[in-house]
Amino acid sequence: MKDNILTAVSVARECRIIGRRQRVIQVQASPPAANRPAQIEWVSHEVPHVESETTDHEFHDNPYQDAGGDAAQDFCLTVDGKSFAVLMDHFSSLMPRICLKGAVFARMGPEQKAQLVEQLQALGYGVGMCGDGANDCSALKAAHAGISLSEAEASVASPFTSKIPNISCVPTVIREGRAALTTSLDVSNTWRYTV
């Protein structure tokens, strides 16, 4: 069984992906129904009764953005796979902002993970992805640097495989990647000047 999004938020806080005092807002999107268009609800987990519904496609209708001062900036978003699908289909103009403020994307399907990687790449980010199963293969292939944390299916799709089943290998991959790039550029420049 997959983890609840609140479990993922708790883990993200422990790992300091989410700050201890940072407000967490879950984006809950629902598809169109018979008599209504697609909707977004912004739910704050710290303030249980502060909720707002909007059908407008503009991010400024998020009640938390206009809170003023640092409070407006000190929040992050969480999205689950069902809401991610609705956002991609009906609120695509919001996706860049949601990706930038997103800290937890939970219960995502394989293609949704790849779509998230592609959304971040479209914003100009270099994207790394760590995964340990077959459901991570699409995102591992799409990422600039994919790291498999197992020697099973994910290792076939990923350019890097770690024998240690955690993300402690990421700084090593970054360091060695930078060193390899520097060496490559130095060799290229040397060859250009000696020919």
Side-chain angles (χ1 to χ4, degrees), residues 73-95:
Q73 298 301 317
D74 197 22
F75 72 94
C76 66
L77 301 176
T78 65
V79 182
D80 65 17
K82 287 181 182 177
S83 293
F84 187 86
V86 174
L87 292 166
M88 288 293 290
D89 290 343
H90 301 283
F91 299 96
S92 59
S93 63
L94 289 179
M95 287 309 296

Side-chain angles (χ1 to χ4, degrees), residues 12 29 40 42-43 55 57 59 66 77 81 87 91 103 106 115 124 129 135 142 146-148 164 166 168 179 183:
I40 298 178
W42 310 87
V43 181
T55 57
H57 288 115
F59 195 81
D66 298 322
L77 301 176
L87 292 166
F91 299 96
Q115 288 172 336
M129 167 69 185
N135 61 340
I147 304 172
S148 171
I164 304 166
N166 62 47
S168 64
T183 301

Side-chain angles (χ1 to χ4, degrees), residues 140-159:
L140 289 167
K141 285 181 186 177
H144 291 109
I147 304 172
S148 171
L149 300 178
S150 76
E151 295 185 32
E153 301 96 341
S155 65
V156 176
S158 177

Side-chain angles (χ1 to χ4, degrees), residues 84 88 92 95-96 99 114-124:
F84 187 86
M88 288 293 290
S92 59
M95 287 309 296
C99 288
Q115 288 172 336
L116 176 59
V117 167
E118 290 163 1
Q119 287 284 321
L120 291 166
Q121 289 172 332
L123 293 170

